[in-house]
Amino acid sequence: MRHPRSRTTRRRVAGALTAGLLCTAGLAAPAVAAAPTPPAAPADGLALTPPMGFNNWNSTHCRAEFDEAMVKGIADLFVEKGLKDAGYRYVNLDDCWALPNRDADGKLVPDPARFPGGIKAVADYVHAKGLKLGIYTSAGTKTCNSAGFPGALGHEYSDARQFADWGVDYLKYDNCNNQGVDARQRYRTMRDALAATGRPIVYSICEWGENKPWEWASDVGQLWRTTGDISDSWSSMLSILKQNLPLAPYAGPGHWNDPDMLEVGNGGMTDTEYRSHFSLWSVMAAPLLIGTDLRKASRATFDILDNKEVIAVDQDPLGKQGRVVSAAGGRWVVAKEMKDGSRAVALFNESGTAQRIATSASAVGLPDADAYTLRDLWQHRGYNTAGTVAATVPAHGTVLLRVAADPDWAAQPPAVELASDGDPLLEAATPTALTSTVTDLGRTPARRVSVSLTGPAGWTVRATSATSATALSTGKALRTGWRVTAPAGTPAGSYGLTLRTSYRSPSGTRVTGALPLTAAVVVPPPAGTSSLGGLPWLSATSGWGPVERDTSNGESDAGDGHPLTIGGTVYAHGLGVHAPSDISFYTGRACEKVTADVGVDDEKGTKGSVAFEIWADGTKAAATDVLTNAMPARPVTADVTGAQVVRLVVTDGGDGIDSDHADWADARLSC
Ligand code: GLA
């Protein structure tokens, strides 16, 4: 789901940071609720910080590539690539390592095709590198895989003994085929069986949060899954994040919430999204189990997994899980108290467009001070700030900061905010105005400040006022007007512009920063009345599948819809969407009216309920009440006079998006 950002939203960025770190004083933000004292660390000393390591499941599932060579290869890379030094220790085998049948003595038998030398040989190999070995079975009669590998229910003591004899250091204990036996009983029996071996074995409870293990398992295992399985997609990661965040009070040394293993590097998300995944798991003090085959991993994947400043957030010995400070409009602030008194602060942008996300030192729990140091844990750079912590965060991105009431703040250059008054919309060959600001937000002055704006080759970009200032004191800004012209004939589409600043700290250190802007080259709307199904849009989002022209929404591929049909009436033209949806059209202040017949498409039978809205820039120009499949088409008319952009929005009607096939039938624009 994407959240559109108003065209008039100001974009800001700190001088030195592409992603947009900045600090301003005095913005109000809600306080973090006081954390209950987490249960004391257990005496066994296991998992006093969240376990770190590898597990094959997310990359291989049961496929044949999961074998001894893979496991040894990962152990080798842990050492060679410095991941062991970064804290990664456990090399864990997931499901499918065993044969389907126990031997005549009831013992588990490693699959000889995958592990020809057995598990003990793998454990020895891993131990020789100073690493640890993990294994998997289920608290049921069989594991989760349909091939039916043996589970440990009724065999707890002998299986635990066998694991200990092999030299296993970690057990993931799953929940399939549990025969309805009470979860607490099943998981406690294995806890006792592991204890009886006398070998320290980290115990990972994997019952998917079904029995609220956070309420009863802190003296059973060292970690418990809080959700169903993660998959390698943005929506899966996001859904798990939202389930795990509220469980912060239950985490602490030796007993961690486990939002499942990392997908970083598996290809289903962008690197920006993977950096968010890794940042958010770290700020939640989640176990960091690499789930990609490191033998094939890219440089970018290693750079994410090996970021020691981020890992230090996860592994902080205080063992607090970060708490949500604020969450609105897809702008999340999550703050984690650190043992040294600083706060790790994740500014996470769930939405599909860049947004400014702001909080303050006091809101994240820091004491009052003249100024703070602020370290960007992805950029690896430090600044000073007077109080508020904020950044312009790219779509799906996270800026991860460490903020401290540090008496040495003056050793850092001031944070400087770079902003524009929006992403420009321009018609080719027509000069368009833009304003930039560079504001000193640190306690110390920014000197020799300059700003520049560059566009694609062939574009004309001219400053209409000053582009430099001798010095800016706290809170003072350099404001610059610009005229931007795309050459005649530039095709409609998105083009990158870059706003840059350079300044000096009081001690003379040069700091530079950049803010990427996206200029949209648009075509003027046609005069007269046009079908909106036939006009180009600026942006279009739909809850399932793409927005369809002149058909309903078929939920997955483009072109999979049916004729637009509401209450038995079939329409030749219009737009078919699935809630939540948002389509924007450039109207260039030249249009007057939008009309449509709206409703839930008949293809969903009796199901689906949605509400329709038409927006003229920031004004809601028309809206329906909740419409269901039982209702005929509802005519809507909106006065959009003077609007630069018109948006057609569909919401879920308040009951979730299930079956919400919404039709903008016969939608027309008059200009
Ligand atoms: C369950 C677990 C997964 C994985 C598979 C293996 O689905 O939740 O993490 O271990 O079983 O079959």
Side-chain angles (χ1 to χ4, degrees):
M1 174 169 92
R2 286 159 57 100
H3 298 266
R5 183 171 57 84
S6 152
R7 282 279 152 202
T8 54
T9 303
R10 287 165 64 84
R11 297 185 60 182
R12 304 164 186 234
V13 66
L17 301 175
T18 309
L21 168 64
L22 67 100
C23 306
T24 55
L27 282 188
V32 185
T37 315
D44 61 20
L46 286 174
L48 295 182
T49 61
M52 291 176 66
F54 168 86
N55 174 299
N56 65 286
W57 184 255
N58 286 349
S59 86
T60 66
H61 285 201
C62 240
R63 290 189 300 275
E65 70 210 73
F66 167 46
D67 64 3
E68 182 182 297
M70 176 189 204
V71 176
K72 288 181 169 176
I74 300 294
D76 294 345
L77 286 168
F78 267 21
V79 175
E80 280 164 31
K81 295 280 186 180
L83 293 170
K84 180 187 168 196
D85 292 340
Y88 294 96
R89 281 288 176 287
Y90 292 93
V91 180
N92 293 351
L93 319 185
D94 209 281
D95 201 356
C96 310
W97 60 267
L99 283 182
N101 293 307
R102 293 169 180 273
D103 71 10
D105 302 328
K107 292 214 166 190
L108 297 162
V109 185
D111 180 341
R114 295 183 195 266
F115 296 100
I119 302 299
K120 175 132 190 2
V122 179
D124 290 346
Y125 186 90
V126 164
H127 290 155
K129 296 192 171 265
L131 300 170
K132 292 177 180 293
L133 189 82
I135 208 160
Y136 161 100
T137 188
S138 181
T141 48
K142 289 189 182 307
T143 68
C144 293
N145 189 267
S146 54
F149 302 109
L153 191 63
H155 297 262
E156 290 89 349
Y157 282 80
S158 59
D159 287 356
R161 185 72 258 161
Q162 210 177 343
F163 297 148
D165 289 346
W166 283 339
V168 163
D169 306 294
Y170 182 115
L171 173 67
K172 171 176 172 180
Y173 203 35
D174 213 338
N175 195 36
C176 289
N177 304 300
N178 61 45
Q179 310 304 318
V181 181
D182 177 66
R184 299 181 193 213
Q185 185 189 322
R186 286 182 291 120
Y187 284 93
R188 283 180 180 141
T189 305
M190 182 53 93
R191 169 197 63 187
D192 296 342
L194 291 171
T197 69
R199 184 176 175 86
I201 297 177
V202 169
Y203 183 27
S204 155
I205 296 170
C206 178
E207 57 72 85
W208 320 312
E210 283 190 346
N211 305 279
K212 301 191 173 169
W214 45 90
E215 290 179 352
W216 51 266
S218 67
D219 65 349
V220 181
Q222 285 75 45
L223 61 159
W224 49 78
R225 282 273 297 277
T226 54
T227 71
D229 289 6
I230 195 168
S231 61
D232 185 21
S233 71
W234 167 251
S235 61
S236 167
M237 192 278 287
L238 194 59
S239 142
I240 287 181
L241 169 76
K242 291 179 184 179
Q243 295 171 69
N244 198 62
L245 278 168
L247 301 174
Y250 299 100
H255 43 88
W256 307 103
N257 292 314
D258 174 6
D260 209 357
M261 302 172 291
L262 299 171
E263 292 284 4
V264 176
N266 284 334
M269 292 182 242
T270 64
D271 287 340
T272 296
E273 291 168 344
Y274 283 138
R275 271 190 294 275
S276 284
H277 178 20
F278 196 68
S279 300
L280 293 162
W281 261 231
S282 293
V283 95
M284 292 194 297
L288 297 180
L289 292 171
I290 295 169
T292 198
D293 187 343
L294 293 171
R295 296 171 303 170
K296 303 175 199 157
S298 68
R299 173 78 197 273
T301 295
F302 277 106
D303 285 349
I304 293 170
L305 297 171
D306 191 32
N307 185 330
K308 295 181 185 66
E309 291 198 87
V310 179
I311 292 171
V313 171
D314 182 78
Q315 294 290 301
D316 185 69
L318 189 63
K320 296 249 182 159
Q321 176 173 331
R323 287 157 184 265
V324 178
V325 176
S326 57
R331 300 179 303 274
W332 293 79
V333 177
V334 186
K336 181 183 201 281
E337 183 183 353
M338 304 286 281
K339 183 147 193 205
D340 67 359
S342 67
R343 297 292 186 278
V345 181
L347 306 176
F348 166 54
N349 182 2
E350 176 188 346
S351 77
T353 49
Q355 295 210 67
R356 179 172 184 258
I357 304 179
T359 185
S360 69
S362 68
V364 301
L366 289 168
D368 279 352
D370 276 353
Y372 303 82
T373 54
L374 187 88
R375 181 143 179 102
D376 185 309
L377 305 186
W378 288 106
Q379 303 272 340
H380 306 297
R381 292 172 82 172
Y383 303 88
N384 80 69
T385 167
T388 289
V389 176
T392 293
V393 185
H396 294 187
T398 298
V399 169
L400 189 63
L401 306 165
R402 193 153 167 177
V403 190
D406 176 350
D408 289 336
W409 58 266
Q412 303 295 335
V416 161
E417 177 185 351
L418 184 55
S420 88
D421 59 350
D423 285 325
L425 282 180
L426 21 105
E427 294 176 18
T430 308
T432 301
L434 184 77
T435 305
S436 69
T437 49
V438 183
T439 312
D440 177 21
L441 301 161
R443 266 290 172 242
T444 50
R447 302 194 194 282
R448 295 166 61 189
V449 182
S450 65
V451 65
S452 69
L453 179 65
T454 48
W459 288 41
T460 317
V461 178
R462 255 191 216 111
T464 54
S465 62
T467 58
S468 64
T470 318
L472 297 173
S473 56
T474 305
K476 292 285 186 286
L478 164 66
R479 217 180 148 73
T480 309
W482 304 91
R483 263 173 136 40
V484 181
T485 315
T490 305
S494 290
Y495 296 83
L497 301 177
T498 308
L499 195 56
R500 288 192 177 82
T501 189
S502 162
Y503 62 98
R504 306 254 170 190
S505 73
S507 63
T509 308
R510 181 166 180 259
V511 186
T512 58
L515 175 64
L517 303 175
T518 307
V521 172
V522 290
V523 285
T529 298
S530 313
S531 166
L532 279 168
L535 288 186
W537 52 58
L538 281 174
S539 66
T541 65
S542 173
W544 287 100
V547 172
E548 299 285 1
R549 297 183 186 279
D550 299 337
T551 72
S552 68
N553 174 284
E555 296 192 1
S556 45
D557 298 334
D560 63 358
H562 301 107
L564 294 161
T565 311
I566 309 171
T569 306
V570 179
Y571 298 82
H573 298 290
L575 294 156
V577 307
H578 196 296
S581 172
D582 191 324
I583 315 170
S584 63
F585 293 92
Y586 176 67
T587 46
R589 302 193 175 92
C591 305
E592 295 90 44
K593 202 167 64 166
V594 172
T595 58
D597 284 351
V598 298
V600 181
D601 194 279
D602 285 5
E603 68 196 338
K604 281 318 255 188
T606 57
K607 295 200 272 183
S609 59
V610 295
F612 293 78
E613 299 168 0
I614 300 173
W615 289 74
D617 293 331
T619 306
K620 199 191 283 184
T624 68
D625 46 4
V626 174
L627 303 182
T628 68
N629 221 318
M631 299 176 179
R634 174 78 54 89
V636 285
T637 300
D639 178 356
V640 298
T641 307
Q644 200 184 19
V645 173
V646 165
R647 288 166 50 223
L648 306 185
V649 174
V650 177
T651 67
D652 68 6
D655 63 350
I657 69 167
D658 185 47
S659 300
D660 284 351
H661 290 212
D663 292 344
W664 293 94
D666 203 19
R668 291 163 193 256
L669 175 69
S670 308
C671 305

